[in-house]
Amino acid sequence: MIDFILNILSYTQILIDKNYFSAIVIYFLFCLFFFLFSLPGSLFVILSSGFFFGFYVGFLINIISITLGSLFFSIISKHIFINYFKNYLLKYTHKLNKIIKKSSLEYLILIRLIFGIPLFVQNLFISTLEISKVKFIISSIIGFTPYFLIFTYTGDKISNLL
């Protein structure tokens, strides 16, 4: 079983090496859709980008795809939830927006830094707030960077071990 997995990984690495630029684009689009739908198992996606593309390229793929995917999710869910739960959400988000308004960037970064909260829940919560897209992008990049540095580096080192 382990030999089978190692054969698949080596074959995939050969395909990536032969078509490096197209592999980056395809993997980036895969990650973008993966994070757009906030699917579970993101740790494996982050590790595999470091494994297949190295630390620097893998980190860039990860941070850009999760930031854009989360932003698109937030925009889509904001329109969906405002239409369906308008009265209920406005009552609670108005109070929350008053609290967060003064230092919203710091709160957003803290939300992104808390490990263990699923991406779906984070994005859903943030989409209910009145936050600019620039603050969303900046907080996502700053908040996700520590974890992505560690996990992409780990994937790169696993690749070096094999």
Side-chain angles (χ1 to χ4, degrees):
M1 182 68 172
I2 293 176
D3 291 335
F4 178 72
I5 293 172
L6 290 175
N7 286 337
I8 289 175
L9 290 175
S10 65
Y11 180 71
T12 305
Q13 189 64 48
I14 290 169
L15 285 174
I16 289 172
D17 291 339
K18 285 183 180 178
N19 306 307
Y20 191 71
F21 182 73
S22 60
I24 289 174
V25 171
I26 291 169
Y27 193 77
F28 174 77
L29 291 175
F30 167 76
C31 289
L32 184 68
F33 285 111
F34 188 87
F35 292 126
L36 170 67
F37 294 113
S38 302
L39 299 173
S42 60
L43 178 61
F44 295 112
V45 173
I46 297 166
L47 286 170
S48 64
S49 66
F51 183 86
F52 291 120
F53 298 105
F55 176 69
Y56 297 110
V57 174
F59 175 75
L60 287 175
I61 289 171
N62 285 332
I63 201 73
I64 293 170
S65 64
I66 196 166
T67 301
L68 292 178
S70 295
L71 179 66
F72 296 151
F73 177 88
S74 177
I75 291 169
I76 292 168
S77 65
K78 184 174 282 201
H79 292 295
I80 290 172
F81 284 113
I82 286 177
N83 290 337
Y84 289 114
F85 304 108
K86 190 172 189 172
N87 294 332
Y88 184 73
L89 279 177
L90 289 178
K91 182 170 68 171
Y92 291 107
T93 58
H94 181 68
K95 293 176 185 177
L96 194 57
N97 281 321
K98 278 185 177 179
I99 296 170
I100 292 179
K101 192 172 190 171
K102 292 181 183 176
S103 57
S104 61
L105 186 63
E106 290 85 4
Y107 284 119
L108 292 173
I109 291 171
L110 285 175
I111 290 170
R112 294 298 193 193
L113 280 172
I114 297 173
F115 189 72
I117 298 176
L119 183 63
F120 178 79
V121 174
Q122 287 182 10
N123 290 337
L124 200 58
F125 174 72
I126 292 173
S127 68
T128 61
L129 303 174
E130 295 174 13
I131 297 165
S132 71
K133 291 174 182 66
V134 174
K135 281 186 180 181
F136 185 92
I137 291 170
I138 291 170
S139 66
S140 294
I141 290 172
I142 293 172
F144 287 131
T145 295
Y147 299 119
F148 281 20
L149 286 172
I150 293 168
F151 294 140
T152 308
Y153 182 77
T154 303
D156 183 40
K157 292 304 165 189
I158 291 171
S159 173
N160 292 341
L161 287 176
L162 295 179

